[in-house]
Amino acid sequence: MNNSFSRLIDGMNATLRSEVLTRLDDEFARGQVFGVINLLNTFKVRADWSAGFLLQQIDAQRTALDGVAALLKGRAEAATLPPLPAGAAPQAVPVAELLAMRDDGNRSIGDLLGWLDAQRERLAPQIAEQVEGLLRTAMRAEVAIELKNSPRPLFAEMSSGQEDPA
């Protein structure tokens, strides 16, 4: 039976904590082991087997981009919109493709922000506010997803060589 990537990382971390840290009395060496544990935790949530957070980011982008397209549909200002990527992310694609889709979505959001800045005077104020709100929501969601999928850093443990009881 194959273990999940997450379970493998958890096993490595448990071994480092129970078998390596318990045998080290050098503060610097202990800090280095905590650095390795921190790195493994980062790999656990961002490695190839962990595409979930990318799908969440792409979904947040898609919601904003589709919302802007729907908001401007049939309006004269829509003719000047930058091209928007189409379609939702398929669930079973390589992580490299998901990264490219996420990056394309970020570029599109950036292009739309530039477009909004250039067109703001021509847009009805409520339309401009709604477009900006959709884009800001997507950008905030991406940051929130990144933070949610990032392990708590072990800076105190790395600098002291001691396990934080919290």
Side-chain angles (χ1 to χ4, degrees), residues 125-148:
Q126 69 274 17
I127 297 290
E129 286 176 24
Q130 288 176 314
V131 168
E132 185 175 0
L134 287 165
L135 299 176
R136 285 182 183 270
T137 298
M139 292 183 293
R140 286 185 183 119
E142 184 168 351
V143 170
I145 292 163
E146 286 282 340
L147 291 173
K148 183 180 88 177

Side-chain angles (χ1 to χ4, degrees), residues 12-54:
M12 288 181 229
N13 285 340
T15 300
L16 287 170
R17 280 193 160 93
S18 66
E19 300 298 326
V20 177
L21 283 174
T22 58
R23 290 175 170 81
L24 292 175
D25 55 359
D26 179 70
E27 186 175 302
F28 176 77
R30 290 177 59 79
Q32 295 301 302
V33 172
F34 281 116
V36 170
I37 292 169
N38 192 59
L39 182 63
L40 287 170
N41 285 332
T42 300
F43 286 162
K44 182 168 84 172
V45 296
R46 295 186 177 269
D48 235 12
W49 293 352
S50 301
F53 80 98
L54 287 170

